[in-house]
Amino acid sequence: GAGVSQTPSNKVTEKGKYVELRCDPISGHTALYWYRQSLGQGPEFLIYFQGTGAADDSGLPNDRFFAVRPEGSVSTLKIQRTERGDSAVYLCASSLGRTRVNNEQFFGPGTRLTVL
Amino acid sequence: KNQVEQSPQSLIILEGKNCTLQCNYTVSPFSNLRWYKQDTGRGPVSLTIMTFSENTKSNGRYTATLDADTKQSSLHITASQLSDSASYICVVSETGNTGKLIFGQGTTLQVKP
């Protein structure tokens, strides 16, 4: 595709439910990133994949959050037992290259998650 | 403590006017500094990327400056247009193996006719 795509664009769920957010990176980009952006704030790093493996998951807030990228392309961010504080826009980005340094990240439009 | 601080938090200017957004950071050492534009409901889009050895970089009406000694950067927008209304985010990339991006909270710019 032409850019990073994310689905769904909006997700409303109830507290305690499980959600999955999907990211389709730019074709050929080996690196993939997930960020969380609260209203009026800049994005906060969650996890970084290089290929199929999570190279850095230090930003995941707790063990309710998990992400996979089984074939090195599409990634899914999974949130268990959602809480109201999880409400945010979840952004995905991808970049070409095997390191994060000096590689431009291209962002998707985000998934707006609302936990009622 | 936020390692990337931006000011002002929000700004309103008239169409055609110039403006300058500020970014102070404490990330050290760093690999590069980026400015992103984020339209409402969209993901950030890169405007400029500067390494620590670069002092200025332009992209059309956008000019970014960097003073690595004082750890300050600015984004200057010339002859503003209504389409410049957006959030502008300063991002610093850590050096080393991590290359992690540290985002500022953004400056919300509104250009009025």
Side-chain angles (χ1 to χ4, degrees):
Chain A
V4 178
S5 62
Q6 293 185 245
T7 55
S9 56
N10 281 285
K11 176 70 177 178
V12 180
T13 190
E14 293 179 343
K15 180 175 179 292
K17 298 292 186 182
Y18 167 83
V19 297
E20 290 189 351
L21 312 179
R22 176 187 169 109
C23 172
D24 282 82
I26 293 173
S27 178
H29 280 194
T30 61
L32 185 145
Y33 316 78
W34 283 100
Y35 297 89
R36 179 168 68 175
Q37 186 173 26
S38 300
L39 189 63
Q41 300 295 317
E44 291 180 295
F45 168 77
L46 294 177
I47 187 170
Y48 155 55
F49 286 91
Q50 186 56 255
T52 61
D56 182 355
D57 63 358
S58 62
L60 295 178
N62 52 59
D63 61 5
R64 295 187 297 105
F65 288 75
F66 189 70
V68 295
R69 196 185 184 199
E71 298 180 356
S73 178
V74 171
S75 175
T76 304
L77 178 65
K78 308 180 180 189
I79 310 175
Q80 298 177 322
R81 305 183 303 280
T82 52
E83 299 177 356
R84 292 192 180 88
D86 298 335
S87 296
V89 175
Y90 289 81
L91 293 166
C92 176
S94 69
S95 69
L96 185 65
R98 305 200 65 79
T99 70
R100 282 195 279 192
V101 178
N102 293 334
N103 277 297
E104 183 173 357
Q105 296 184 23
F106 296 86
F107 284 82
T111 292
R112 180 175 296 280
L113 174 67
T114 303
V115 182
L116 300 177
Chain B
K1 183 182 182 304
N2 197 343
Q3 298 181 69
V4 180
E5 296 281 352
Q6 293 186 241
S7 62
Q9 184 175 359
S10 62
L11 182 63
I12 301 174
I13 63 174
L14 293 177
E15 186 180 13
K17 298 296 185 182
N18 303 336
C19 68
T20 300
L21 314 180
Q22 300 292 342
C23 174
N24 296 334
Y25 60 92
T26 59
V27 180
S28 182
F30 77 100
S31 174
N32 58 66
L33 186 145
R34 315 169 187 214
W35 282 93
Y36 282 87
K37 178 186 179 187
Q38 186 174 23
D39 292 309
T40 301
R42 307 292 294 273
V45 174
S46 179
L47 294 176
T48 62
I49 300 178
M50 289 184 290
T51 65
F52 64 87
S53 61
E54 296 180 283
N55 300 119
T56 185
K57 182 159 284 187
S58 291
N59 178 359
R61 295 179 297 101
Y62 301 102
T63 299
T65 65
L66 174 63
D67 186 333
D69 291 331
T70 61
K71 295 185 173 57
Q72 295 179 326
S73 177
S74 66
L75 180 69
H76 186 74
I77 304 174
T78 304
S80 61
Q81 301 176 359
L82 298 179
S83 59
D84 292 333
S85 296
S87 179
Y88 291 84
I89 306 175
C90 175
V91 187
V92 179
S93 174
E94 292 182 341
T95 191
N97 293 329
T98 64
K100 183 181 296 184
L101 298 186
I102 311 297
F103 289 77
Q105 79 277 24
T107 291
T108 300
L109 173 66
Q110 186 177 359
V111 181
K112 290 193 168 183

